[in-house]
Structures are given as structure tokens and as C-alpha cells.
Amino acid sequence: MTPTDPIIRLENVYTAYEGSDRPTLTDISFSVGRGEFVVVGGPNGAGKTTLLETINGMLPITHGTATVCGHDVRNEGVRVRCRVGYLLQNFAFDPLTPFTVEEVVLMGRFGRIGLIRKPGKEDHEAVEKALHLLGIEDLARRPIGHLSGGQQQKVLLAQNLARDPQVLLLDEPFSNLDMFARESINKLLSRLVASGIAVVIVSHAFDDLPDCRVRVVVMHDGRISLDRECLPADVGQVDGRISLDRECLPADVGQVIRHAGSAPCYA
Amino acid sequence: MQGVPPAMLEFIIQNNIVCHAVEAMLFASISCAILGVIITQVQISSIGFTMAHAAFAGAAVGMFLSLNVTICAILAGVCVAFLIGPLAEKARVSPDTALGLLFGISMAVAIFFIAYMQTLGQGFSAMGLLFGDVISLYREEIYLLALISVVAVVFVVVLYKEITGIIFNKRIAESVGIRVKPVYYAMLFVIALTVALCLPIIGGLLIYVWLVTPAAIALQFCYRLSAMFLVAPIVAAAISVSGALAGLEYSLPVAPLTAVLFSVVFIAAVFLSPKRRVTFRKS
């Protein structure tokens, strides 16, 4: 794999949930390069989370090929997941959860450490670094269940950063965060993108995008209906729909709108 | 006696029967408590419950057919653990319903064979499966129990990282690159093995108390999983040994008495738990 090769490459991918008789993703061809920032939008049930789980090898690919970080997702799912950070949507831990913040962040390294082996000095250093990046060093010894939703979200993000990922997949990362936390995470994401990490986020908060070039991918009914690079200033939201500046839209925008249903519209 | 291995706690307890009973309860409680922490924290209590009753049914069938009771119990427990997923999928029912079905079938099979054996005049040995019997154990069986305690400890120590990941959240564990399925099935296998080996001592109706209560007591006081893995077996061992000594001293049924002691300690733990106290005071 050369540095210019896409770090995520999906070709004609179909995905289905176990027991389902119809595909959840249909004919997805999609690639992401190093240092690229992709924001995935679309209506509920469009397949946004499914796309992230397919990239991460957590869902069976029924047709097509997918490679992430040079590994075949279908056959080397565990290797892919050791190199990809994936922040899952909507997690809340109750006060009885018997784990401290640093234990949770250390879990992010477990796949890399491998079966049976114990975490070493390098792993604990990675945990400290991740906690520092998120500014939550002071929470390290606190039980995760005693934190607020936003703090728990930051801990899970730190868990993913501790893995030293080449790709970050974030599902609604801003959902529990206040305005200041969003701003600091956006700055962090900009830095990560500048350092060459590919970031793919599913988000409805299009007003809070990091200050870098973004690629907007709109999904509808398990298909990609729009894939376009923009500046953050060109992306917004009108009546719950993704709004792009007219200049950013492809020539066949009318057709896109008809196929996409609720998204996108243009300002 | 030539060829018979010595009792392990003979140097403390001279009476051979009491010594065997204490050893059996000690090892059974350690292995059950350690695995109980996993069962309660992964929230597979219903799987543990169903496996315990399947092992009970397997033992009853083994006894009826004059086969090795322990091996039959292990096979039945493991089969049920591995059947839950496919049954839920093929029958298009929720895993919870699948567990309910398997539990019902296990209990029906066990009670049928125990009742039938009673009509054949084998009722006494069959009833031992229901309530347990700490006195009539062979020394080899106690060594086997000691071995399963070691297996449970080694299993947790070696796979601690993976187990904590699965306990925290199975999906997050999978997303960080932990091989969840093999570890999860290994977990179920060790639980089935432990349940089957402890069944003759504790009995099919009470084994669940040994699996769940020590972990529930530990959870009242521990904020960290590592502490739970230490506190649960210590508490279980202390209660089980006390139960065995008291039961034998006052001629009471050992396993039911110990189960009652577990419940009393659990209730006390709930009241004494620091997790329910508000410690903040305005200065």
C-alpha cells in the first residue's frame, strides 16, 4: 500500500444484517484518502451507521470488495479494527459500571496488544496521551458511570485515539457535547486530519464542522446519493436537511434531490 | 490407605467427613464466585441459569442410563450454551424466549427422570442431584473440584483483558479488535464445566445461588472489576465453609443452609453498601 493509495476503498459493496432478506447497503463504491475529512449525512435509516460498520468489518459483506488500511475487511476484520477507531452511537453507562476512565481508555489498545499478552508501558503512555488530547486527565481514576453523558462521550473518543488509529469512524460524535466541547473536539479533529488520519463522521450537526476541507456524502435508502467536496462554510442545514452552497452541487442536482428524498437541498 | 490421595486440609480438620465437606464447598464456591462475576457483569444470568438446569437434566439422564453423571451434565450444559443462538435464529424467537424454552425442557427432562427413578427405588441418589450432597463425595471428585477452581482462576488471569472488554460492552470490545466470539464461547464452556462439577455438591436447584450471590455481594462494595474478582471468591469461600461447618455440627442440610446464609449476607451488604450512601456534607 503506497501513501497515495486510498486508506478506505469499497467497491460495489452490498451489506445485509443477519436474518435480513434484503441488503442494507446497495452497490456502494466509495474511497477515502489519508488526511481526508468525510461527513456522512442523510435521513434516518439511510444506512449511515451501517456504512461505518461495514468499513470496520462488523457487518458481513455479501457482495463486492472492501479494503481498509491495506487489509481485506471480509477476511481480516480483526486486523482492520485494530487500526481503525470507531466511536459508536448513543452509549450511556450506569453508575454501577465497575470500570474507571483509564481502564476504559486502555481497552482501546486491547486489539493491538493481542490475545493473552498484558498491556505494557507503551500502552499506558498511549492512554495518558489520549486523555491529555481530550483534556480529561483529571477524570482518569473516576468510575465511568459517575460521569456526565458528554464526559463519557469524550472517554470513548479517548479510547479510540489511544489505539493510534489510521482511520477514525465517528457516529454522532457531537450528540452529548456542549458548545465548548464541540469546539475543542473540532480543533482536535482538524489536527488529526492534518496529521494524515482519515476521519469519517456521521453527523446531523452540520453547523459544527472542523475548519478544513470536508467531503459531504449523502445517503438514502442504502445508497450514496451525493458525494461532494466543500468548504465548511458551504455546508449547513435547512429544515433538518443538509444544505450545500449551489456552487458545490453537481450539475445533475435536480436528479439527486429527486432520488435523495429528504436530502439534500440547496441554499 | 494405599492409593488414595490425602485430603488437602487434613492438617487443620482431623475429621475426614468434615474435611471433605469443607474442601468441596471451598473449591466449589471459589470457582462459582469467579465465574459468577463474569455471568452477572456480562449480564448472561439467564444463560447461567439455563445451563445450570440443563446440567441438572443431563446428570439425571446420566444417572438413569447408568452413565458417568458428571460427563452427561457437562455435555448437556455445553449443548444448551451452544444451542441458544441457533435456536433463537431458526425459531425466529428472541434469545430470551429461546432460554425460556430450553429452561422449561431441561426442568421437564430432569424432573421426569428423577420421578421415574423414584418409582424404580433409586430415589435417594436422584434427590441428591436436586439438593446436593457434600458428605458422600470421593476424594478424586474433590481433587477435580480443586482443578476446576484452578482452571477458573487461570482462565480469568490469562484472558483478563478480553473478559473485561466483553464485560464493558460486547460491541465496543468487537470494535477495538477483541476476538469476542471465541472468548465468549470459551467463557460459556468453562461455566458449563464448573456447573457440572459442582452439581453433586450443591444440587441443581441451588447452584444458581453460588453463581450469582457472591458477585452481587461484591458489587455492593467494589468500584473496580479487579476488586470484584477478589472479593467475590473470598466472600463465597467464607460463607460456604461456615455453612458446611455449621451444617455438619448441627446436622442440618449443608447446601440449603449455605444458600440461606448467602441470602442473609446479601441483604446485609445491600444495607451496608457505601454506594447507596450520600457522603456530601455542606461545610
Side-chain angles (χ1 to χ4, degrees), chain B residues 72-124:
Chain B
C72 290
I74 293 171
L75 285 177
V78 172
C79 283
V80 159
F82 287 78
L83 263 178
I84 294 158
L87 179 69
E89 204 178 299
K90 298 284 174 209
R92 299 261 175 178
V93 292
S94 70
D96 194 47
T97 311
L99 283 168
L101 287 168
L102 289 169
F103 167 71
I105 293 165
S106 301
M107 277 308 275
V109 169
I111 291 167
F112 173 80
F113 280 102
I114 287 173
Y116 190 56
M117 275 187 281
Q118 272 184 322
T119 62
L120 298 176
Q122 300 169 345
F124 181 73

Side-chain angles (χ1 to χ4, degrees), chain A residues 16-246:
Chain A
Y17 282 99
E18 270 178 47
S20 168
D21 50 2
R22 61 186 289 261
T24 316
L25 290 187
T26 308
D27 198 19
I28 299 285
S29 294
F30 172 70
S31 59
V32 180
R34 289 171 197 276
E36 201 168 352
F37 188 95
V38 182
V39 54
V40 182
N44 292 336
K48 306 182 291 291
T49 299
T50 310
L51 178 67
L52 298 191
E53 295 199 343
T54 303
I55 294 170
N56 204 24
M58 287 170 76
L59 281 180
I61 294 171
T62 53
H63 183 266
T65 56
T67 51
V68 176
C69 306
H71 296 286
D72 180 9
V73 174
R74 224 188 251 193
N75 302 317
E76 300 172 286
V78 172
R79 286 191 177 176
V80 167
R81 290 193 284 279
C82 292
R83 286 158 183 80
V84 174
Y86 176 36
L87 180 73
L88 287 93
Q89 193 182 4
N90 288 340
F91 265 99
F93 300 96
D94 70 61
L96 289 178
T97 309
F99 293 101
T100 61
V101 167
E102 63 183 355
E103 285 173 332
V104 172
V105 177
L106 184 63
M107 280 176 205
R109 304 280 299 177
F110 285 178
R112 286 185 82 113
I113 296 167
L115 204 64
I116 299 171
R117 288 167 57 201
K118 302 286 168 207
K121 194 182 161 201
E122 188 193 341
D123 302 303
H124 290 285
E125 281 171 359
V127 169
E128 276 176 35
K129 193 177 152 197
L131 290 171
H132 177 71
L133 276 173
L134 271 299
I136 51 172
E137 307 97 310
D138 54 324
L139 301 179
R141 301 288 164 91
R142 297 264 305 272
I144 188 166
H146 290 193
L147 306 182
S148 70
Q151 287 171 322
Q152 289 184 4
Q153 184 93 331
K154 282 186 178 180
V155 173
L156 292 181
L157 190 53
Q159 186 191 61
N160 284 294
L161 293 179
R163 206 173 317 161
D164 215 356
Q166 295 171 32
V167 174
L168 257 183
L169 308 173
L170 310 174
D171 200 348
E172 296 289 356
F174 305 119
S175 57
N176 290 319
L177 302 179
D178 60 39
M179 198 179 70
F180 302 107
R182 284 177 191 208
E183 210 175 287
S184 72
I185 294 211
N186 267 334
K187 279 183 188 160
L188 174 64
L189 290 179
S190 297
R191 289 213 306 275
L192 294 173
V193 168
S195 71
I197 294 175
V199 177
V200 182
I201 72 167
V202 165
S203 180
H204 289 107
F206 286 93
D207 304 331
D208 288 308
L209 292 175
D211 191 21
C212 58
R213 279 202 79 80
V214 292
R215 198 170 127 203
V216 175
V217 170
V218 179
M219 296 196 68
H220 188 259
D221 203 17
R223 295 171 188 272
I224 292 178
S225 57
L226 180 76
D227 185 346
R228 190 80 181 168
E229 199 170 324
C230 302
L231 287 168
D234 299 328
V235 191
Q237 206 161 4
V238 176
D239 297 334
R241 298 186 296 172
I242 302 157
S243 148
L244 301 178
D245 189 275
R246 188 189 292 271

Side-chain angles (χ1 to χ4, degrees), chain B residues 234-259:
Chain B
I234 290 171
V235 167
I239 296 172
S240 298
V241 170
S242 309
L245 291 173
L248 293 172
E249 179 69 27
Y250 300 105
S251 302
L252 296 167
V254 172
L257 174 69
T258 314

Side-chain angles (χ1 to χ4, degrees), chain B residues 176-249:
Chain B
V176 301
I178 291 173
R179 292 170 198 273
V180 171
K181 268 193 181 167
V183 176
Y184 185 72
Y185 280 112
M187 223 181 246
L188 292 182
F189 179 73
V190 176
I191 294 168
L193 207 63
T194 306
V195 165
L197 289 174
C198 295
L199 206 63
I201 313 157
I202 300 165
L205 289 183
L206 296 173
I207 196 158
Y208 200 61
V209 178
W210 266 255
L211 283 172
V212 171
T213 320
I217 294 168
L219 189 62
Q220 304 305 315
F221 300 98
C222 303
Y223 290 96
R224 299 177 75 149
L225 188 73
S226 49
M228 281 185 74
F229 274 118
L230 282 176
V231 172
I234 290 171
V235 167
I239 296 172
S240 298
V241 170
S242 309
L245 291 173
L248 293 172
E249 179 69 27

